[in-house]
Amino acid sequence: TTQCCFLRVRSLFFWFWSFRHRMALALCLQALCSLGGWLSLYVSFCRLNKHRSYEWNCRLVTFTHGILSIGLSAYIGFIDGPWPFTHPGSPNTPLQVHVLCLTLGYFIFDLGCIWRFAWRKSIKKYHTWRSRWSEERQLRLNGHLKTH
């Protein structure tokens, strides 16, 4: 009888394990579909606004994402619920999970836009930040800045 109970627990574990993998796969597919939606919106903006730059159309997608995420977040917080101040830490609703996947797809799209359009600007900003940080650190450690 001990072996029988072990087999039940083991089969229950494998069912749960496969269920978690199926859920993770479903969430990844939702995020990829969201990425495809943002890319298709970007392509359609590029076709509609041929006289504008590609970066301008990317910013138009960013604006659309901002409006959409504000509207959906307000709907979830004020209408659909649960109210986050009275039920903090409650399980996510399916709508919240869908909005999360929509935002994750946009995040991946935005990462691609940064890599494509602002890579040199980002490196320049990081270099400027890093040099200022090291100057402030030297000032804190030595009490004065070294002159070269």
Side-chain angles (χ1 to χ4, degrees), residues 108-119:
I108 296 168
F109 169 80
D110 193 41
L111 222 56
C113 284
I114 288 172
W115 182 73
R116 171 68 176 96
F117 298 117
W119 183 254

Side-chain angles (χ1 to χ4, degrees), residues 3-106:
Q3 185 179 10
C4 182
C5 290
F6 176 71
L7 289 176
R8 285 184 192 163
V9 171
R10 188 173 177 188
S11 66
L12 182 65
F13 171 74
F14 282 120
W15 175 83
F16 181 72
W17 185 68
S18 65
F19 177 74
R20 289 184 61 190
H21 279 286
R22 286 184 295 186
M23 288 299 294
L25 182 63
L27 291 176
C28 288
L29 286 175
Q30 280 183 343
L32 287 175
C33 287
S34 170
L35 174 63
W38 293 114
L39 284 172
S40 65
L41 183 66
Y42 172 71
V43 168
S44 64
F45 280 150
C46 286
R47 288 184 181 171
L48 284 173
N49 303 313
K50 292 180 181 179
H51 60 284
R52 300 284 187 172
S53 69
Y54 293 120
E55 187 177 358
W56 189 87
N57 291 315
C58 185
R59 291 180 185 192
L60 196 57
V61 171
T62 301
F63 176 74
T64 306
H65 170 261
I67 297 297
L68 188 64
S69 64
I70 287 171
L72 286 172
S73 298
Y75 176 76
I76 289 171
F78 295 120
I79 298 170
D80 192 44
W83 182 247
F85 298 116
T86 57
H87 297 88
S90 60
N92 290 332
T93 63
L95 182 60
Q96 288 172 335
V97 173
H98 290 309
V99 171
L100 175 72
C101 289
L102 183 76
T103 305
L104 182 60
Y106 170 75

